[in-house]
Amino acid sequence: GDGGDGGGASGGETELNQWSLARADPDGFRGGMVSFFEARGPEHEEDADEKAVALARKRWTSLLLFDFMCSGALCAAPEAFDKLARCSHLIDPTTAAPLPLQHHFSNLMAPIRAMRGRQELDSTPIVMGCQEMPVDARGEAKLREVLPEGLAYYRPTERGKGETGASGGTDEGTGFIYSNFLAASMKDVTDDLAPDLTQFLADQGVKPVVAATTLRKMLIVTVDLFYTGAAQSSGGEETRVEGAVGATTPKLAVATLHCKCFYKQAAQQGAFVARLIEQASKLEGVVGTVVCGDMNLDSPWPDKTSAEVQQASVGAAEFGCFPTAEGEGVTPIVNTNVTDFSTTVTKSGLQMVTPPTNFTTLKMRTKFQAQAGKIGAVAMGHKDQLVLPMDMHVTDVIVAGRDEADPSLSPTAANNTNMSLLQPSRMWPSDHFAVGAAVGIQLSKYVAK
């Protein structure tokens, strides 16, 4: 179902879900399905060549056929599907009603709440890069409802395409959640850096479709850096002090990326991230640059690795890490692309918050998807990353995606293996972990400038 929060294939009512629509009016539901696909078929794509249209038509037809089969199965056994639905993280297990978006958004705010509770970070400025944010007014309103106190939300809605066509439009879903006292100083500088980065990717020989998608979803902002320190009052008590540093406030540049997969060009991708940090650091007042987001690095299994071996290999690996052992019933994953990316980044004088040995996505195909031959297959990857210069020091790291308070999920629990981290889950409704860090910058050497 569509979670009861959107129209679904048939454009249904807000409070209805797909299975109730299909059951109440099967013919109307099938007609709505056809209309949905007709409105989104390959013929509607601009500048699509004949070969691309033919390939896309096959894919759309396959999806339409699968939807019809699901609809038929659902109508034939509605009670069974009502029970099955309760297994979904999108459904309330007690009522079988779709959980509201606010529930899922609130769970995704857990890393911020956790960071604020550690090392007295409650008043530290927060800038959180996001991908696939809501792009409609209703979804944005529901996200704002659950933002932790003192946080604001930014996603460009009016920015044009610029001369290079690199800048994101209004439907890319890339944005930031940040401390609201930074709002006055926040400046979108994506268009300032896009021409250089566009040319750089072209010079690196990156495939045009990869470069175009990566640049279109890129978002770069600068914010004034504020310090949070302690001062002695006249009565001798320690008080918290916040303010700008110096006459000219230093700035932090933050870029959030949602890259298209570079595949075997991961070294060029690492060079692109290094170039982005280099160019952003040249902007007036910028004293530190952080690149965050989904690098979409590919970590395939060796050819013909069965689903059973994949699951066994993941379960046997060190907690949070890729499988590296080779033996009976287990096999290491192919991590060449991650190695190429991380090597290029570190050789450029940069550091990565997430070690290349760790994975940040872990999901498994169930029986309820269209490719029966891949049932049970595990996909894991090192995709989500924070990259920053070596002279910025990381004082705390959090990787969100599981309930730290649940003793059964403790790293020392006997039943706690990597397979217990499969996403999405009821407490983490995403197929990517969130990577967060507390970062310190030595401002004293910049104030003089």
Side-chain angles (χ1 to χ4, degrees):
D2 62 6
D5 217 80
S10 61
E13 303 298 328
T14 302
E15 299 304 323
L16 297 180
N17 48 52
Q18 287 194 22
W19 61 84
S20 60
L21 287 168
R23 198 183 314 173
D25 182 13
D27 290 337
F29 185 74
R30 293 185 185 101
M33 232 186 275
V34 172
S35 299
F36 175 88
F37 282 98
E38 282 182 340
R40 292 163 175 79
E43 292 81 0
H44 297 275
E45 297 290 334
E46 294 183 5
D47 304 323
D49 59 36
E50 186 175 338
K51 183 177 180 180
V53 168
L55 178 60
R57 186 180 290 116
K58 289 182 180 179
R59 291 173 176 168
W60 281 100
T61 303
S62 175
L63 288 171
L64 176 59
L65 177 61
F66 185 68
D67 261 11
F68 272 135
M69 294 171 67
C70 289
S71 177
L74 189 155
C75 293
E79 293 79 9
F81 273 82
D82 281 346
K83 293 180 180 179
L84 180 64
R86 297 170 191 261
C87 299
S88 170
H89 71 286
L90 300 175
I91 301 297
D92 186 320
T94 59
T95 66
L99 291 166
L101 276 177
Q102 293 94 321
H103 172 84
H104 306 303
F105 287 150
S106 179
N107 283 345
L108 291 173
M109 295 300 109
I112 295 179
R113 294 192 294 266
M115 274 296 220
R116 279 181 160 179
R118 292 159 70 164
Q119 295 190 7
E120 298 182 350
L121 295 173
D122 57 304
S123 58
T124 299
I126 291 173
V127 183
M128 178 181 181
C130 305
Q131 300 81 45
E132 298 185 6
M133 300 178 85
V135 297
D136 61 292
R138 185 175 60 173
E140 287 187 346
K142 292 182 178 182
L143 173 59
R144 293 180 196 278
E145 284 182 32
V146 300
L147 284 179
E149 183 179 358
L151 296 185
Y153 163 85
Y154 171 69
R155 184 181 65 83
T157 56
E158 300 295 336
R159 198 172 76 227
K161 297 255 183 222
E163 293 181 3
T164 65
S167 299
T170 60
D171 61 348
E172 296 304 331
T174 311
F176 289 98
I177 293 172
Y178 61 96
S179 299
N180 55 18
F181 60 81
L182 299 175
S185 69
M186 178 173 280
K187 180 182 178 183
D188 189 333
V189 295
T190 312
D191 287 339
D192 297 334
L193 299 181
D196 177 85
L197 295 172
T198 301
Q199 186 60 52
F200 181 81
L201 286 175
D203 293 343
Q204 291 284 311
V206 174
K207 295 179 180 179
V209 65
V210 173
T213 302
T214 299
L215 292 166
R216 190 179 69 247
K217 296 186 176 186
M218 174 183 70
L219 184 62
I220 312 168
V221 298
T222 59
V223 295
D224 285 354
L225 270 177
F226 286 68
Y227 71 82
T228 301
Q232 297 294 324
S233 68
S234 56
E237 296 181 355
E238 187 177 84
T239 58
R240 304 296 292 179
V241 181
E242 294 183 2
V245 181
T248 301
T249 306
K251 299 181 184 299
L252 175 71
V254 185
T256 182
L257 300 176
H258 189 182
C259 297
K260 191 172 181 66
C261 186
F262 279 62
Y263 292 104
K264 294 182 179 180
Q265 292 187 306
Q268 290 90 325
Q269 184 181 9
F272 163 71
V273 170
R275 179 71 172 195
L276 196 165
I277 291 177
E278 176 189 355
Q279 294 303 106
S281 299
K282 294 178 181 178
L283 296 173
E284 183 177 3
V286 171
V287 297
T289 301
V290 177
V291 173
C292 63
D294 180 3
M295 305 303 160
N296 212 359
L297 295 166
D298 185 44
S299 298
W301 291 97
D303 289 343
K304 299 181 179 180
T305 302
S306 68
E308 292 75 18
V309 170
Q310 292 177 16
Q311 294 178 32
S313 301
V314 172
E318 181 181 348
F319 192 70
C321 297
F322 286 106
T324 57
E326 189 166 9
E328 185 176 354
V330 296
T331 188
I333 205 163
V334 180
N335 236 1
T336 305
N337 297 328
V338 176
T339 300
D340 290 348
F341 175 85
S342 59
T343 299
T344 303
V345 166
T346 53
K347 283 185 176 180
S348 300
L350 306 171
Q351 58 178 313
M352 303 195 312
V353 168
T354 312
T357 53
N358 293 136
F359 59 84
T360 66
T361 63
L362 181 65
K363 47 195 173 182
M364 183 176 70
R365 291 180 181 267
T366 69
K367 296 179 179 179
F368 306 101
Q369 45 86 39
Q371 295 177 282
K374 294 184 178 180
I375 291 173
V378 179
M380 65 191 317
H382 177 97
K383 297 181 181 289
D384 308 280
Q385 186 57 263
L386 293 171
V387 182
L388 56 156
M390 290 298 296
D391 63 357
M392 297 173 69
H393 58 281
V394 177
T395 62
D396 198 8
V397 176
I398 186 168
V399 178
R402 65 193 186 100
D403 188 356
E404 298 283 352
D406 186 342
S408 69
L409 295 179
S410 165
T412 59
N415 64 338
N416 193 30
T417 71
N418 286 326
M419 293 300 289
S420 70
L421 300 177
L422 284 172
Q423 307 295 340
S425 67
R426 287 200 177 276
M427 60 79 54
W428 188 253
S430 173
D431 61 350
H432 288 249
F433 299 164
V435 179
V439 178
I441 301 177
Q442 294 289 344
L443 288 176
S444 57
K445 61 184 178 182
Y446 299 112
V447 174
K449 295 198 301 184

